[in-house]
Amino acid sequence: MAGRYGDDMNSTALPLIQLSEQFARLPGIGMKTAQRLAYYVMTMSDDDARAFADAIMTAHSTVKECSLCCNLTENELCPVCAESSRDHGIICVVENPKDITAFERTNEYNGVYHVLHGLISPMDGITPDMLRVKQLLSRVGKGVREVIMATNPTVEGEATAMYISKLIKPLGVKVTRLAFGLPVGGTLEFADEVTLFKALENRSEI
Amino acid sequence: MAGRYGDDMNSTALPLIQLSEQFARLPGIGMKTAQRLAYYVMTMSDDDARAFADAIMTAHSTVKECSLCCNLTENELCPVCAESSRDHGIICVVENPKDITAFERTNEYNGVYHVLHGLISPMDGITPDMLRVKQLLSRVGKGVREVIMATNPTVEGEATAMYISKLIKPLGVKVTRLAFGLPVGGTLEFADEVTLFKALENRSEI
């Protein structure tokens, strides 16, 4: 990585270059932003810098996967799985822990989740055994009535939803998929053809 | 800060929320990006996470200001000040250590620098005594022939350049300012009036 910053960084202290390189490894952080962040760290108080470094280590060492749904948590069970008032008969299957936050924000869903930690993508070398599919199948037997496939409406998301539904359906469990259609607040004018076709196909009586 | 992420973060592990908050304190990093970065840290290997945390602490604890020019360095003197082949009779005064990198990239400047670590800005409560002006004045006596004011062409940059030049001129040292004009590769069409006026005013004979 040293070459990335080239000779024009000769005037910069080595630990600063190394910190810039660490920031540049984060997704969506380019070289210039990484440098700006590294310089910002220099202006932090000792306590603040230590709190930042500690937060990285603490999060990385204490947060693990929920033994039931594979969501990220500090305890054996994540807050959703631990809540007895939730309907453990409905499992919503998502790609990332972040997606759970999105569903929880609706305040409408009362079932539980299952986090795959990725999508099947042969192009990127991600095969089904690299996802938490086995853990999902082991849950399905135990009184589950419905599995909602809530992966993204992308090629990988669709393929993963299809793959998993084919494994679950033979077990006699209902498998559903999120509805496709116009986004609320969106306009027809800006809807793409596929979305519009799906909205037409899935039309409902008023 | 806890309120920022609200109740919809109930499903998220606390150390992850705390790490997101640390990222969100960095300049230009919003709440959503901070969350994305925190989740990325979870996917790092143990070694990588430790290297990241260590880089923050190392940079913060070992990098200090050069005793001569106030640039950031791990040693007593920064690489520029330590180089005897450079012309210590010309001092280029800049706002930030980052600006030095920009000048060094031109490969044309052979003098030394002085970093103010800010600009005078009464609106933000930044007074001259909060900058490294005193350190600059103590250098000027010792055989310095010219001081180049290389602060940004902003209100604060101009005010700071004016303020410092008024302190240095009585000491019998030449004070210069970076030239204003059209940026190389730019077009007249997109130049603002002030830049165009400066370009006209500072025109030179061909």
Side-chain angles (χ1 to χ4, degrees):
Chain A
M1 296 276 281
R4 256 180 94 179
Y5 294 88
D7 294 331
D8 55 69
M9 291 291 278
N10 271 348
S11 59
T12 309
L14 186 64
L16 257 177
I17 298 178
Q18 286 166 338
L19 181 54
S20 301
E21 284 169 356
Q22 288 291 342
F23 275 121
R25 297 176 65 174
L26 298 174
I29 304 285
M31 198 184 91
K32 285 233 167 183
T33 306
Q35 261 179 271
R36 195 158 47 84
L37 296 181
Y39 276 114
Y40 178 79
V41 169
M42 295 296 104
T43 67
M44 287 166 112
S45 72
D46 283 355
D47 285 350
D48 284 352
R50 179 160 295 281
F52 186 18
D54 284 351
I56 292 170
M57 289 316 293
T58 307
H60 197 268
S61 60
T62 65
V63 176
K64 49 190 191 297
E65 288 182 19
C66 168
S67 61
L68 213 55
C69 77
C70 305
N71 183 15
L72 295 176
T73 172
E74 346 158 42
N75 307 311
E76 177 68 18
L77 289 179
C78 78
V80 177
C81 289
E83 214 176 297
S84 57
S85 68
R86 297 195 70 128
D87 185 350
H88 286 251
I90 304 182
I91 298 178
C92 177
V93 179
V94 293
E95 177 187 350
N96 288 314
K98 265 181 288 192
D99 301 328
I100 294 186
T101 315
F103 274 103
E104 288 298 288
R105 224 179 278 140
T106 67
N107 278 322
E108 289 292 335
Y109 182 67
N110 195 39
V112 291
Y113 298 95
H114 192 86
V115 183
L116 295 174
H117 287 280
L119 294 174
I120 300 170
S121 173
M123 293 284 282
D124 303 315
I126 301 171
T127 54
D129 56 291
M130 292 164 82
L131 308 178
R132 310 298 186 276
V133 177
K134 215 184 294 172
Q135 290 88 329
L136 174 62
L137 294 177
S138 74
R139 291 175 73 186
V140 168
K142 300 157 189 163
V144 170
R145 305 185 308 277
E146 181 179 350
V147 172
I148 306 169
M149 294 307 308
T151 49
N152 282 330
T154 57
V155 175
E156 290 83 9
E158 283 299 304
T160 307
M162 281 302 124
Y163 176 85
I164 292 177
S165 69
K166 273 180 188 161
L167 291 175
I168 294 176
K169 270 184 180 166
L171 305 173
V173 174
K174 189 164 108 184
V175 183
T176 55
R177 181 91 176 97
L178 288 185
F180 292 124
L182 294 175
V184 178
T187 54
L188 278 175
E189 193 184 350
F190 296 114
D192 64 289
E193 311 86 61
V194 184
T195 303
L196 211 51
F197 172 70
K198 292 278 185 186
L200 197 63
E201 194 180 46
N202 299 327
R203 66 189 179 279
S204 59
E205 215 170 317
I206 309 174
Chain B
M1 295 278 280
R4 258 180 93 179
Y5 293 89
D7 295 333
D8 54 71
M9 291 289 278
N10 273 346
S11 59
T12 309
L14 186 64
L16 257 177
I17 298 179
Q18 286 165 339
L19 181 55
S20 301
E21 284 170 355
Q22 288 291 340
F23 276 120
R25 296 176 67 175
L26 299 174
I29 305 285
M31 199 184 90
K32 286 232 166 181
T33 306
Q35 261 179 273
R36 194 158 48 85
L37 297 180
Y39 276 114
Y40 178 79
V41 168
M42 296 296 104
T43 68
M44 287 167 113
S45 72
D46 283 355
D47 285 349
D48 284 351
R50 181 160 294 281
F52 185 20
D54 284 351
I56 292 170
M57 289 315 293
T58 306
H60 197 268
S61 59
T62 65
V63 177
K64 51 189 189 300
E65 289 181 19
C66 168
S67 62
L68 212 54
C69 77
C70 305
N71 184 15
L72 295 176
T73 174
E74 345 159 43
N75 306 312
E76 177 67 16
L77 287 179
C78 78
V80 177
C81 287
E83 215 175 294
S84 58
S85 68
R86 298 196 68 129
D87 184 349
H88 286 251
I90 304 182
I91 299 178
C92 179
V93 179
V94 295
E95 177 186 349
N96 288 315
K98 265 182 289 191
D99 300 328
I100 294 184
T101 316
F103 274 102
E104 288 299 287
R105 224 178 278 141
T106 67
N107 278 322
E108 289 294 336
Y109 181 66
N110 196 38
V112 291
Y113 298 94
H114 192 85
V115 182
L116 295 174
H117 288 278
L119 294 174
I120 301 171
S121 173
M123 294 284 281
D124 303 315
I126 301 170
T127 52
D129 56 291
M130 293 164 81
L131 309 178
R132 310 299 185 272
V133 177
K134 216 184 293 174
Q135 290 88 332
L136 174 61
L137 294 178
S138 73
R139 292 176 72 187
V140 168
K142 300 156 189 164
V144 171
R145 304 185 308 279
E146 182 180 350
V147 172
I148 306 170
M149 294 306 309
T151 51
N152 282 329
T154 57
V155 174
E156 289 82 9
E158 283 299 305
T160 307
M162 281 302 125
Y163 176 84
I164 293 176
S165 69
K166 275 182 187 160
L167 291 175
I168 295 176
K169 271 185 181 167
L171 305 172
V173 175
K174 189 163 108 182
V175 183
T176 56
R177 181 89 176 97
L178 288 184
F180 294 123
L182 293 175
V184 178
T187 54
L188 277 176
E189 193 184 350
F190 296 115
D192 64 289
E193 310 87 60
V194 184
T195 302
L196 211 53
F197 170 71
K198 292 277 186 187
L200 196 64
E201 194 180 44
N202 300 326
R203 67 189 178 276
S204 58
E205 215 171 316
I206 310 175

